[in-house]
Amino acid sequence: MSIQVFGLPVSRGVAIGRAVLVASSRVDVAHYFVPVDRIDHEIGRLRGARDGVATELQSLKHELPPEAPAELAALLDVHLMLLHDEALITATKGWIRERHYNAEWALSAQLEVLARQFDEMDDPYLRERKADIEQVVERLLRELAGQAGDEAPATAAAAKAMRDVAGEDPLVLVANDVAPADMMQFKRSVFTGFVTDVGGRTSHTAIVARSMDIPAVVGAREASRLIRQDDWVVIDGDAGVVIVNPSRIVLEEYRFRQRQSELERARLDRLRHTPAVTLDGEVVELLANIEMPGDAPSALDAGAVGVGLFRSEFLFMNRGGDLPGEEEQFEAYRAAVEALQGLPVTIRTVDVGADKPLERMSQQELRHEHGLNPALGLRAIRWSLSEPGMFRQQLRAILRAGAFGKVRILVPMVAQMSEVRLIFEALARARQQLDDAGRAYGPVEVGAMIEVPAAALLVERFLRHFDFVSLGTNDLIQYTLAIDRADEAVAHLYDPWHPAVLQLIARTIACARQSGRGVSVCGEMAGDPAFTELLLAMGLRSFSMHPARIASIKQRVLRVDTRRLAAHLEEVLASDAPQAALTQLQAGSWPH
């Protein structure tokens, strides 16, 4: 019987093959109390497991083939960093010493604590980092149980067993989740796509899938329970649908779509280094969003003409109280700048706070229970200004990286003119400190992220001080509509097509252009082809997105005449249903 399973489309294309079903490899945890005289021994077991997993991960990283995506090595580094994170290991030792829990029980208890903290985070990218903690704990539990290192990873073992049964048939992986450390096996295997029960659009499995350009559907909930070993499976990575045991007609239809998709990918690949110029000669800047210096080569390879958003908070997260110093930050920023070979790099100052807490923050700063909304708390630039020493340290590191290439500073969540004054005072102080120390630094442009309605309404005033602005559409939608994206009860109301949202975006772009200042969009809208024509009609000429989206957006850009688009902009913005109005106009080929 044919069934359909629905999830989130995270990597385009169609994959067809027999299912390799990999059950969750989480180890059953024993629960018992450790006598006082065995506590040190139990902590030694934990330390030994940590060292064993670290060795395993380092070996996996060392054995990465040259063609492996940069994201994979970076994700292995994340897991290595988590292994030594005070919030995990030191706190687990506390459970052993204070509660006399055995190592497995202590790890599980601390995982529950951390999982709750991640679930309360507002940022979807950081919230989904909970999966990294879970995968690291799973490896530690396997090591404690004597399983790690004695057998191949579950994905590889399952693939081998399945190949013996399926012969030459293509294979797709079905699992509860796929750990980044196992992605090397995935890369070398015969899998043509994968389905996971959990995950989101910004989960690591989704990121790696996009970097490998492999069709994938995540968050399919019951997929691993409903799909049986050796079932024929179709993965529709465009629609987020998984079809199990399709009929012959459906199977042939998807095989045709698969061939068409492969041809389309080949055509898009040829556009990678084609200049993004509209039919009427407007040059459009397509930039990349990155999280770490190692992402820079991938951005160049995708055809990006710079980095429009370097999320510097990646350097600060999951480190316990050991935050990166000026030198460590400088080396990271310089590596990204040098990798871009003269192209611009926009570094966003650290975006942490009540919803993305650092371990060094005080309990008062972290307190967001009892109905308080962390999205409205001490975060982003508010937190940076409350930690002036840390803020100036980051500014000095960015300024120093500016001596090695074109660097821009982007400040998140600016909403007050008083914040603008304090930002530039901090910059002046950072420059003075570098002068006093005899340190070289370069010129930098300074921009503000427009993420709250107040900023969009005050953008003319902001532009008297800032060199450019960048629209963070994800937060702008959330704050404009008063919708918590993490709350499933209202998530369906999160609407990027809402007229109020579009009017704020159009206003920001128009004001920036009138002021002769730069303006870009770095939220999800930038990488969504459904919005490309509308944003171009508004006058946007700079888009920043995940590198994997650049070719498809470039294809849209090359096919449009911005003058004809702009002539119908007011008609779309005045509509109660802008998406329907745009679709209707597009169906008429944007008549004169």
Side-chain angles (χ1 to χ4, degrees), residues 162-461:
M162 196 60 216
R163 279 196 298 268
D164 294 339
V165 175
E168 297 303 317
D169 289 335
L171 304 176
V172 298
L173 180 67
V174 181
N176 179 64
D177 198 7
V178 181
D182 289 332
M183 279 295 183
M184 181 175 67
Q185 302 295 331
F186 182 81
K187 173 76 173 177
R188 294 173 176 175
S189 74
V190 295
F191 296 131
T192 60
F194 68 84
V195 184
T196 62
D197 296 339
V198 300
R201 289 185 174 88
T202 55
S203 64
H204 277 154
T205 39
I207 292 170
V208 173
R210 285 191 291 267
S211 73
M212 293 180 176
D213 212 13
I214 296 171
V217 173
V218 303
R221 305 213 174 205
E222 299 294 308
S224 65
R225 185 180 66 84
L226 296 173
I227 300 172
R228 297 173 300 178
Q229 199 87 332
D230 204 28
D231 278 346
W232 275 103
V233 174
V234 172
I235 299 174
D236 187 337
D238 299 307
V241 178
V242 179
I243 304 173
V244 185
N245 293 323
S247 67
R248 183 177 296 275
I249 293 175
V250 171
L251 187 59
E252 287 305 316
E253 178 185 345
Y254 270 99
R255 280 176 172 157
F256 174 76
R257 283 185 53 185
Q258 190 177 45
R259 291 191 293 271
Q260 294 299 109
S261 179
E262 290 169 355
L263 290 173
E264 178 64 16
R265 291 187 192 195
R267 285 194 292 267
L268 286 177
D269 284 343
R270 289 196 291 270
L271 295 177
R272 283 185 302 171
H273 302 296
T274 300
V277 182
T278 64
L279 292 176
D280 56 321
E282 291 287 323
V283 177
V284 179
E285 184 181 53
L286 300 182
L287 305 166
N289 296 342
I290 66 173
E291 285 79 39
M292 57 200 81
D295 295 337
S298 298
L300 282 179
D301 189 57
V305 296
V307 169
L309 177 62
F310 182 147
R311 298 183 176 98
S312 69
E313 55 268 19
F314 174 84
L315 300 173
F316 288 73
M317 302 302 293
N318 300 317
R319 299 174 57 107
D322 180 26
L323 299 186
E326 180 180 334
E327 288 303 316
E328 181 180 346
Q329 289 188 62
F330 164 64
E331 292 297 338
Y333 304 146
R334 183 178 71 173
V337 171
E338 291 180 336
L340 263 291
Q341 304 170 17
L343 296 175
V345 178
T346 303
I347 302 171
R348 182 173 69 185
T349 59
V350 61
D351 188 1
V352 298
D355 63 329
K356 309 173 206 174
L358 298 180
E359 290 80 353
R360 59 168 288 179
M361 298 172 69
S362 70
Q363 288 303 309
Q364 182 177 358
E365 291 171 325
L366 292 175
R367 191 179 298 124
H368 57 274
E369 297 88 0
H370 309 299
L372 296 182
N373 189 334
L376 305 180
L378 189 67
R379 55 162 297 194
I381 187 56
R382 300 172 183 176
W383 186 77
S384 291
L385 292 175
S386 76
E387 294 276 354
M390 182 282 301
F391 188 41
R392 288 195 300 270
Q393 184 181 69
Q394 181 172 36
L395 293 176
R396 291 195 301 269
I398 297 174
L399 288 167
R400 290 171 59 193
F404 296 86
K406 187 174 182 180
V407 172
R408 301 190 293 186
I409 296 175
L410 181 59
V411 185
M413 205 180 170
V414 183
Q416 312 279 349
M417 290 305 300
S418 60
E419 292 170 341
V420 176
R421 176 179 57 81
L422 292 172
I423 289 165
F424 282 94
E425 286 179 359
L427 264 170
R429 180 69 186 276
R431 288 190 177 100
Q432 184 60 53
Q433 290 173 333
L434 290 174
D435 286 335
D436 293 343
R439 299 264 191 175
Y441 61 92
V444 298
E445 293 184 351
V446 184
M449 287 199 75
I450 306 301
E451 299 177 276
V452 297
L457 295 172
L458 288 180
V459 68
E460 295 105 327
R461 299 187 192 183

